[in-house]
Amino acid sequence: MEKFVINGPTVLHGDVTIAGAKNVALKAIVTSLLTDDEIILHNMPHIRDVLLMLDVVKSLGAHVTIEGNTIRIQDGHTKDTIVPLEIGARLRTSSMVLGPMLSRYGNATIPNPGGCRIGARPIDRHIEGLKRMGATIDYDSKDGYFHAHAQHLHGAQISFLKNTHTGTETLILGAVLADGTTVLKNAAEEVEIDDLIALLTAMGANITRSGNREITIVGVPKLHGAQYTIMSDRNEEATFAIAALTTKGDITVHHSQRHNMKAFLEAFEKAGGVYKMIDDTTTEYFYDKPIQPVDIVTGSHPGFMTDWQAPWALLMTQATGVSTIHETVFENRFLYVEELRKMGANISYFDPNVEHPEAFYNFNWEDRIKGTHQGISITGPTKLHNAILSMNDLRAGATVVLAAMLAIGQSSIYGVEQIDRGYEQIDTRLAALGASIEWIEEDEIV
Ligand code: EPU
């Protein structure tokens, strides 16, 4: 086990450059399976999930070279269409190889995908869509694999019953080389999807956002290599913006994505935070006045993203009054609450009054876990104190790290590998902003 040791409280000041977006980087790696040519990806974040995803494409025969933040991937000639269990099960996006493998090789065998423990996170919407495009896909509970086959993927009209970010991307990745035209209705609108579309377009794909929540993909016979610089990470930016406010500091963010963070910035300003647009891609976030409570309901783009609600809850522990968060996308994304409570936070659960929960929530209502809640109520302000903490998922990890920087005393946080999945060198970058944070490796822990 590895841990962070953090001494608080700290005021964070200075400049930070936002890394490449994890939720584009992982899918950009999958695009390499769509062509024999080399794909050159710039601004790729140095994070654990990217290394895991590279292992997935390497297990299928791809050759990978990493030079700083540039990754070159070339699909190999010897083709294996099976993703080994020990590689694929560690990462939910490993299932996204299904589309490219089916359209190019007619077969794919992938383990039931893993990822953050923020809910059941099935891939039924992805599977259903690929079946509509001509694939047969069976899950074998004896070996834990999805077995997929297709003579040819063909275009189809597919209407998602509910929003799905990676489901939309999986079907785009399946449709780009399919025979004919695919129209995705009720497609997700997250901007990371548009970045993936831009990369695929640079490779020769024919994809348009053809209407409100509609994407049209005209299949092409072949894609070619491309160089692409992926967008920076909105979730990292929101984390640093909140850190500026909770620590009563001032952080200037380079490679800013503020144009794609409208819902966040509205809430940030309501809470009393200030941001200054230095230039098109530089934003300064700072504390100015006592923090105000703001109620949040998470949603798909352009709403307040579910990825922002965990650090937001920490911010609300510092607000004067009561605020609420209603999580509508995932059914188990309050794993950090117990950790914040250990530090003295006053947070209670509640069940929001929802008339038709099966239709209202983004997750499949039947997947909900007994005893979990979709709402929390936070009463502040609270002076947090140090604690021994653990990280249960990526965003929960970032939240407890920010909490420890705010708390009085020394905190130890276990489960560093969770935050390392999605935040590049978070300890080094926070230290450069003034945090007292040390990453202690396993063999140093006695
Ligand atoms: N869902 C299903 N069946 C499906 C697909 C989705 O039940 O076939 C459920 C999910 O379990 C979830 C909801 O529908 O409850 C929404 O899922 P969606 O597919 O939109 O989310 P995702 O693709 O699993 C991506 C990001 C998440 C981000 C969400 C929302 C990646 C790799 N992950 O997840 O990022 O929170 O979209 O924008 O792109 C993170 O970065 O920490 C993270 C979890």
Side-chain angles (χ1 to χ4, degrees), residues 22-23 27 92-93 118 121-126 163-166 190 235 305-307 329-331 333 362-364 367 394-395:
K22 167 181 81 80
N23 290 344
K27 297 66 176 279
R92 181 175 157 79
T93 42
I118 56 181
R121 303 187 81 184
I123 53 167
D124 52 312
R125 298 172 206 163
H126 312 209
N163 193 73
T164 169
H165 177 162
T166 47
E190 274 72 17
N235 299 329
M305 286 185 72
T306 169
D307 304 295
V329 180
F330 291 105
E331 74 277 26
R333 222 175 184 184
N362 198 170
F363 56 86
N364 297 335
D367 288 339
L394 173 59
R395 307 296 165 199

Side-chain angles (χ1 to χ4, degrees), residues 1-5 48 117 388-392 412-418 438-446:
M1 271 217 282
E2 298 157 57
K3 69 172 180 177
F4 282 146
V5 174
R48 215 172 275 219
R117 285 175 283 166
I388 306 295
L389 302 158
S390 57
M391 306 192 198
N392 299 307
S412 292
I413 309 177
Y414 290 88
V416 171
E417 55 287 355
Q418 281 294 344
E438 210 185 336
W439 182 331
I440 300 191
E441 298 289 342
E442 195 170 19
D443 52 2
E444 295 172 51
I445 301 174
V446 283

Side-chain angles (χ1 to χ4, degrees), residues 352-424:
N353 196 3
V354 171
E355 220 168 291
H356 297 292
E358 335 61 60
F360 177 79
Y361 287 113
N362 198 170
F363 56 86
N364 297 335
W365 182 241
E366 63 276 15
D367 288 339
R368 74 193 183 281
I369 302 153
K370 217 172 156 222
T372 57
H373 306 273
Q374 293 309 125
I376 58 169
S377 166
I378 307 151
T379 305
T382 314
K383 266 200 167 34
L384 299 181
H385 55 75
N386 60 330
I388 306 295
L389 302 158
S390 57
M391 306 192 198
N392 299 307
D393 72 54
L394 173 59
R395 307 296 165 199
T399 303
V400 292
V401 166
L402 297 198
M405 291 188 310
L406 182 63
I408 300 161
Q410 186 173 86
S411 296
S412 292
I413 309 177
Y414 290 88
V416 171
E417 55 287 355
Q418 281 294 344
I419 197 165
D420 198 37
R421 295 183 62 167
Y423 290 86
E424 179 174 311

